[in-house]
């Protein structure tokens, strides 16, 4: 499957300059990012007043967050100070909140999967807001070459939390990440996942966002060698008054790399607002990129809002495949008709289709107790409107 | 003994918010249990519309006539009520329902149609038996409904549902299309097993006579221009096989 040079005209909206409008540049200096006013492309979907000051950088840290890590013996877990030389080497913050989080955290968790080690059990990093207020965090997960591991990040409790998570997947390694945003209803969370995928390495992430008042999570992937593969799955259930925003960026800066982005979510209740921004850059001079991204939204009630924006920028003619799709809507009449035509009553058919929508993604998570927990929470949210 | 009657049925396909087109222009047909009626006709004659309209597909609207199942007005029933009353439609293009496992779906359907949940163990056994009869690999039970199935796999699963749900009237819409000879035989055997009970009336919609070598019709109807244009015995299929539909296309136009 070869796709001809699509050029940049089709997707960049900005003329013929071979410069990406999608910001892959960054800085550790907070002052390099002006305080957003809400009209910037990267902030225009986010209700700034609900960030409770995270975007202006008040530099207070009055919240309390506990971090608890469980890991099998073969995985090395450390809690380190700001001065640890391994931190911050794989990324530059790409927005003001990310820079603020990096300059504000006090301790970081470093998870190392040593080379050629296959972790026998998942690593759990549980981040719990125990006292509501501003708090900052940093996590570095390094899967050394030819290692394999699954890491679960679980966010819960109440906080106004900003953090950066670095995933470094070295050559030939495999890293699966599940990030579960299971906050209490009042929490605010702005998070960045910065991933580097090495030569012939495989990275897979499941982002599951159910809780919080506002969650804005930006997974960013770049490659450090050919043959890298990144699959980003996301699932959100945005209820009454919640704002869930996911902004993925895949930077195919190296030849023969592959990416898949599939985010899906359901919205239910007045003021539920889901945002998906899917940016893909296929870099100049690269060959053999294979990329596809997809966002689907299931609208269960009136009064919800979805913003779904795929951006594809291609700076080379040598692309293996590149595409995107986005669809938002009510339950599919044809699905319901099929089930009903087998005698299943309308309300039961609705329930089956809605659960199927979630189960399709949840079933791919390979940790049974996590699957069950997520499905139970989805059930609880569904019960509110059924 | 069941009597299924379609009388003067007229229906429109709903194309857009304002746009619609009349497809069925007064269909008359009566099927008794134990009988197999082949409905044959050229493409675009309205055969599939007849199937979908009777089942209650949201894309079609009935504008006249009636459909009776043992005297009960089918058109007043919801889609699921029609199925529970004994009507079954095997679709030409079965729908994929992601994330709903085939086994969960089949159990829900059987529970609804039979009026009570079957015992889990008995149902598993019944399902396994029915699947093996149609040469369906047991792993399909765990997959999403029709999700990623090939055309032939979807058709086998439609007949699987026919065998499990034991309807009074089965409408099979181009079940033979897209099947190779081996798959056609397997699917035909399934239809014949359902027929062997003598308790089901079959409306077999097809474009080709090929399937009629395996599933013997008692009556053959030519469908053209949105109505039954001619009816006869099995010999009518042979006439169509040698002469084609040309004569009816002109009549229907």
């Amino acid at each position: 499957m070869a796709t001809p040079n699509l050029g940049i005209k089709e997707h960049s909206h900005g003329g013929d300059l071979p410069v990406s409008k999608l910001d892959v540049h960054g800085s550790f200096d907070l002052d390099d990012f002006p305080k957003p006013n809400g009209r910037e492309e990267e902030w225009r979907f986010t209700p700034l007043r609900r960030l409770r000051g995270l975007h202006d950088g008040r530099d207070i840290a009055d919240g309390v967050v506990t971090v608890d890590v469980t890991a099998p013996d073969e995985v090395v877990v450390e809690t380190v100070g700001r001065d640890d030389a391994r931190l911050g080497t794989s990324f530059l913050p790409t927005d003001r909140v990310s820079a603020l989080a990096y300059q504000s955290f006090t301790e970081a968790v470093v998870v190392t999967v040593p080379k050629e080690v296959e972790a026998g059990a998942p690593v759990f990093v549980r981040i719990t807001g125990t006292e509501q207020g501003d708090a900052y965090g940093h996590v570095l997960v390094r899967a050394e070459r030819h290692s394999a591991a699954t890491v679960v990040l679980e966010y819960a409790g109440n906080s106004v939390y900003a953090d950066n998570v670095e995933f470094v997947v070295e050559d030939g390694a495999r890293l699966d990440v599940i990030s579960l945003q299971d906050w209490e209803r009042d929490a605010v969370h702005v998070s960045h996942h910065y991933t580097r995928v090495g030569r012939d390495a495989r990275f897979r992430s499941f982002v599951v966002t159910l809780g919080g008042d506002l969650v804005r999570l930006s997974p960013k992937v770049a490659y450090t060698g050919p043959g890298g593969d990144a699959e980003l799955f996301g699932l959100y259930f945005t209820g009454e008054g919640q704002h869930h925003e996911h902004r993925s960026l895949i930077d195919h800066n190296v030849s023969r790399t592959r990416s898949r982005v599939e985010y899906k979510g359901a919205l239910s209740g007045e003021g539920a607002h889901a945002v998906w921004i899917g940016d893909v850059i296929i870099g100049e001079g690269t060959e053999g990129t294979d990329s596809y991204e997809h966002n689907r939204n299931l609208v269960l009630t009136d009064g919800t809002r979805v913003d779904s924006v795929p951006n594809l920028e291609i700076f080379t003619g040598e692309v293996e495949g590149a595409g995107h799709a986005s669809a938002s809507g009510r339950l599919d009449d044809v699905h319901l008709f099929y089930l009903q035509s087998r005698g299943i009553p309308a309300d039961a058919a609705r329930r089956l289709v809605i659960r199927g929508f979630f189960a399709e993604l949840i079933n791919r998570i390979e940790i049974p107790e996590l699957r069950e927990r997520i499905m139970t929470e989805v059930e609880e949210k569904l019960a509110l409107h059924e | 003994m069941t009597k299924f009657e379609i009388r003067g049925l007229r229906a429109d396909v709903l194309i857009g918010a304002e746009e619609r087109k009349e497809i069925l222009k007064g269909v008359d047909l009566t099927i008794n249990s134990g009988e197999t009626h082949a409905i044959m006709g050229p493409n675009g004659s309205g055969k599939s519309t007849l199937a979908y309209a009777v089942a209650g597909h949201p894309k079609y609207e009935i504008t006249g006539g009636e459909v009776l199942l043992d005297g009960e007005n089918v058109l007043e029933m919801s889609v699921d009520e029609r199925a529970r009353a004994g009507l079954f439609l095997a679709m030409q293009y079965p729908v994929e329902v992601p994330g709903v496992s085939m086994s969960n779906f089949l159990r829900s359907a059987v529970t609804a149609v039979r009026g009570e949940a079957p015992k889990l163990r008995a149902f598993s056994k019944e399902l396994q038996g029915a699947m093996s009869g149609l040469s369906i690999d047991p792993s399909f039970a765990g997959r999403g409904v029709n999700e990623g199935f090939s055309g032939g796999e979807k058709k086998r699963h439609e007949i699987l549902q026919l065998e499990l749900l034991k309807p009074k009237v089965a409408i099979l819409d181009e079940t033979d299309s897209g099947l190779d000879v081996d798959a056609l035989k397997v699917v035909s055997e399934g239809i014949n097993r359902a027929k062997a009970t003598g308790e089901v009336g079959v409306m077999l919609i097809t474009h080709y006579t090929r399937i009629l070598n395996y599933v013997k019709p008692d009556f053959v109807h030519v469908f053209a221009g949105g109505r039954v244009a001619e009816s006869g015995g099995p010999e009518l299929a042979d006439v169509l096989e040698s002469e084609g539909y040309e004569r009816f296309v002109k009549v229907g136009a």
Side-chain angles (χ1 to χ4, degrees), chain A residues 46-205:
Chain A
T46 312
L48 294 179
R49 61 183 169 79
R50 281 163 64 188
L51 283 175
R52 316 232 188 127
L54 265 186
H55 62 299
D56 59 23
R58 303 180 287 171
D59 199 22
I60 53 168
D62 55 350
V64 177
V65 163
T66 62
V67 181
D68 169 50
V69 185
T70 54
D73 290 343
E74 61 274 22
V75 173
V76 181
V77 178
E78 299 159 84
T79 301
V80 301
R82 298 187 47 81
D83 54 351
D84 192 287
R86 292 169 294 178
L87 303 180
T89 57
S90 77
F91 80 107
L92 285 172
T94 52
D95 72 25
R96 187 172 169 89
V97 177
S98 179
L100 174 69
Y102 195 77
Q103 81 167 33
S104 307
F105 76 88
T106 52
E107 283 183 334
V109 172
V110 178
V111 175
T112 306
V113 190
K115 67 175 181 177
E116 292 167 24
V117 163
E118 186 162 339
V123 177
F124 287 87
V125 181
R126 295 188 179 86
I127 295 156
T128 310
T130 53
E131 211 161 299
Q132 176 66 302
D134 291 18
Y136 307 94
H138 194 89
V139 176
L140 165 62
V141 177
R142 181 179 292 274
E144 294 185 347
R145 66 186 164 81
H146 293 115
S147 68
T150 299
V151 173
V152 181
L153 299 172
E154 277 184 76
Y155 296 93
N158 252 329
S159 188
V160 177
Y161 195 62
D163 66 346
N164 295 299
V165 184
E166 300 177 70
F167 297 115
V168 179
V169 194
E170 294 185 356
D171 296 353
R174 172 190 68 74
L175 181 64
D176 283 5
V177 169
I178 298 151
S179 183
L180 176 57
Q181 288 64 243
D182 195 16
W183 296 102
E184 296 294 320
R185 184 60 183 78
D186 200 31
V188 173
H189 185 200
V190 178
S191 186
H192 287 76
H193 291 178
Y194 294 101
T195 303
R196 287 271 180 265
V197 181
R199 183 187 184 98
D200 299 326
R202 213 203 75 195
F203 174 73
R204 188 154 70 146
S205 92

Side-chain angles (χ1 to χ4, degrees), chain B residues 189-218:
Chain B
E189 283 165 13
I191 298 169
N192 288 331
R193 277 194 297 274
K195 279 177 51 160
T197 61
E199 287 165 7
V200 60
V202 176
M203 186 198 294
L204 184 67
I205 296 173
T206 180
H207 185 76
Y208 304 104
T209 52
R210 188 178 62 146
I211 192 173
L212 304 183
N213 297 326
Y214 303 98
V215 180
K216 296 292 177 196
D218 303 296

Side-chain angles (χ1 to χ4, degrees), chain B residues 6-182:
Chain B
I6 300 173
R7 294 182 184 161
L9 190 69
R10 307 180 82 90
D12 292 355
V13 60
L14 306 176
I15 300 162
E18 301 287 318
E19 204 183 340
R20 55 167 63 212
K21 188 178 176 212
E22 183 171 66
I23 305 288
L24 301 185
K25 298 169 180 172
V27 180
D28 293 294
L29 188 67
T30 299
I31 297 177
N32 296 302
S33 48
E35 297 174 357
T36 298
H37 293 244
I39 310 286
M40 306 192 63
N43 287 325
S45 58
K47 306 186 298 289
S48 286
T49 296
L50 176 62
Y52 280 116
V54 167
H57 193 285
K59 216 177 94 185
Y60 302 93
E61 189 176 302
I62 308 282
T63 56
E66 54 187 4
V67 179
L68 303 172
L69 184 59
D70 289 330
E72 298 281 331
N73 188 344
V74 168
L75 300 179
E76 280 178 3
M77 301 177 192
S78 65
V79 173
D80 48 296
E81 284 169 344
R82 295 178 200 198
R84 293 199 296 276
L87 192 64
F88 178 82
L89 167 62
M91 297 185 198
Q92 185 180 1
Y93 302 109
V95 178
E96 299 193 11
V97 190
V100 179
S101 75
M102 207 74 209
S103 59
N104 185 14
F105 161 63
L106 293 173
R107 199 169 133 77
S108 301
V110 164
T111 300
V113 167
R114 294 183 192 167
E116 60 176 353
K119 295 267 189 299
L120 199 54
R121 190 173 295 174
F123 179 68
S124 311
K125 210 172 158 192
E126 183 185 356
L127 181 58
Q128 278 168 22
M131 287 174 79
S132 104
L134 288 160
S135 304
I136 297 172
D137 189 274
S139 67
F140 277 89
R143 290 175 59 178
V145 172
N146 292 319
E147 213 183 336
F149 293 14
S150 71
E153 287 159 356
K154 286 180 181 170
K155 297 297 176 67
R156 284 172 204 234
H157 280 86
E158 293 294 283
I159 301 308
L160 174 67
Q161 293 166 52
L162 166 69
E163 291 197 67
L164 291 173
L165 298 177
K166 301 180 172 55
K168 293 175 179 164
V169 180
I171 303 174
L172 311 179
D173 185 16
E174 307 218 8
T175 295
D176 52 331
S177 68
L179 296 183
D180 61 29
V181 174
D182 290 340

Side-chain angles (χ1 to χ4, degrees), chain A residues 264 333-346 352-353 355-357 359-360 363, chain B residues 56-57 79-80 83-84 88-89 91 95-96 98-100 104-105 109 112-113 146-147 158 161:
Chain A
K264 56 195 289 188
D333 275 355
V334 174
H335 287 165
L336 296 177
F337 170 71
Y338 189 70
L339 298 183
Q340 284 184 259
S341 78
R342 272 42 176 159
I344 300 172
L352 274 174
V353 174
R355 275 150 192 78
F357 180 84
E360 191 197 11
N363 285 344
Chain B
H57 193 285
V79 173
D80 48 296
R84 293 199 296 276
F88 178 82
L89 167 62
M91 297 185 198
V95 178
E96 299 193 11
V100 179
N104 185 14
F105 161 63
V113 167
N146 292 319
E147 213 183 336
E158 293 294 283
Q161 293 166 52

Side-chain angles (χ1 to χ4, degrees), chain B residues 225-248:
Chain B
R227 57 167 70 88
V228 175
E230 192 171 322
S231 297
E235 73 287 349
L236 181 52
D238 301 329
V239 176
L240 294 170
E241 175 69 18
S242 53
E243 294 177 10
Y245 294 116
E246 211 163 299
R247 174 161 67 94
F248 300 100

